[in-house]
């Protein structure tokens, strides 16, 4: 009962906030296990913007988990997203999902994890968004939608602090013209 209440509260919190990045490793959650995370971060695109992210995950079955990502970014539309992650062996995973951040978009990532010690792991891979943004004609009138591709190289370090708690530091390096760099770190709890 306590897990159901905690999960319900988490999903409620995730739906009232906005925006998230990877905050993940190349490993999936074990079946019927939850993860909850909070991540203060900075988005860098000329100017720097402070953000606060909330992350929640659930292990659906062996090698498959689901996560919701939300947060608050001042001066922008709210964002909420979700994805499903599939294990590709013990230390690799692929994930896909969708988000809304002013416009609808699709997410995809390929991640690999290297265990440095039993409680320290480094992860990297490729993260990509396809955002369907408003297109405007020469007079400034809305003229349908166009796809905008944004790609990052994520690098993260997860350090186990206790049995069910870890600190995750991540940086996402933008590799496309349209996009931003991202630096964040926070606590992740495993239930």
């Amino acid at each position: 009962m306590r897990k159901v209440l905690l999960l319900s509260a988490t999903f409620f919190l995730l739906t009232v906030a906005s925006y998230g990045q990877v905050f993940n490793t190349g490993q999936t959650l074990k079946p019927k296990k939850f993860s909850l995370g909070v991540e203060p971060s900075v988005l860098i695109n000329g100017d720097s913007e402070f953000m606060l992210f909330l992350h929640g995950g659930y292990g659906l079955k062996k090698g498959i988990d689901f996560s919701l990502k939300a947060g608050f970014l001042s001066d922008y539309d709210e964002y909420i997203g979700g994805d499903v992650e599939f294990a590709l062996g013990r230390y690799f995973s692929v994930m896909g999902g969708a988000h809304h951040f002013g416009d609808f978009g699709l997410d995809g990532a390929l991640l690999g994890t290297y265990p440095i010690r039993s409680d320290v792991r480094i992860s990297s891979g490729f993260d990509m968004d396809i955002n369907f943004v408003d297109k405007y004609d020469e007079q400034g009138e809305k003229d349908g939608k166009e796809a905008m591709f944004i790609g990052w190289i994520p690098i993260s370090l997860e350090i186990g602090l206790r049995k069910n708690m870890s600190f995750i530091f991540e940086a996402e390096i933008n590799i496309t013209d349209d996009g931003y760099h991202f630096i964040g770190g926070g606590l992740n709890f495993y239930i």
Side-chain angles (χ1 to χ4, degrees), residues 41-161:
S41 25
V42 176
L43 180 139
I44 304 165
N45 185 14
D47 296 332
S48 297
E49 298 262 358
F50 172 77
M51 299 168 287
L52 180 63
F53 297 101
L54 302 175
H55 303 271
Y58 179 72
L60 298 173
K61 64 184 218 176
K62 185 175 180 175
I64 302 174
D65 68 25
F66 172 75
S67 68
L68 291 176
K69 304 171 186 183
F72 175 76
L73 173 61
S74 61
D75 299 333
Y76 288 95
D77 292 330
E78 288 185 353
Y79 173 112
I80 187 163
D83 64 61
V84 177
E85 181 178 20
F86 300 90
L88 300 174
R90 187 170 177 192
Y91 296 112
F92 293 92
S93 69
V94 62
M95 67 180 74
H99 66 270
H100 191 272
F101 184 38
D103 296 295
F104 175 76
L106 299 174
D107 309 309
L110 175 64
L111 294 173
T113 297
Y114 178 75
I116 296 171
R117 294 184 352 194
S118 63
D119 60 346
V120 178
R121 294 182 283 283
I122 189 165
S123 300
S124 189
F126 180 71
D127 182 19
M128 185 179 81
D129 286 359
I130 304 170
N131 295 322
F132 301 97
V133 299
D134 290 332
K135 180 178 161 184
Y136 294 92
D137 63 17
E138 293 175 7
Q139 289 77 34
E141 300 290 323
K142 199 181 280 190
D143 189 24
K145 296 271 187 185
E146 65 181 335
M148 181 174 73
F149 295 83
I150 305 173
W152 297 271
I153 301 293
I155 301 168
S156 68
L157 179 66
E158 180 178 24
I159 301 168
L161 301 176

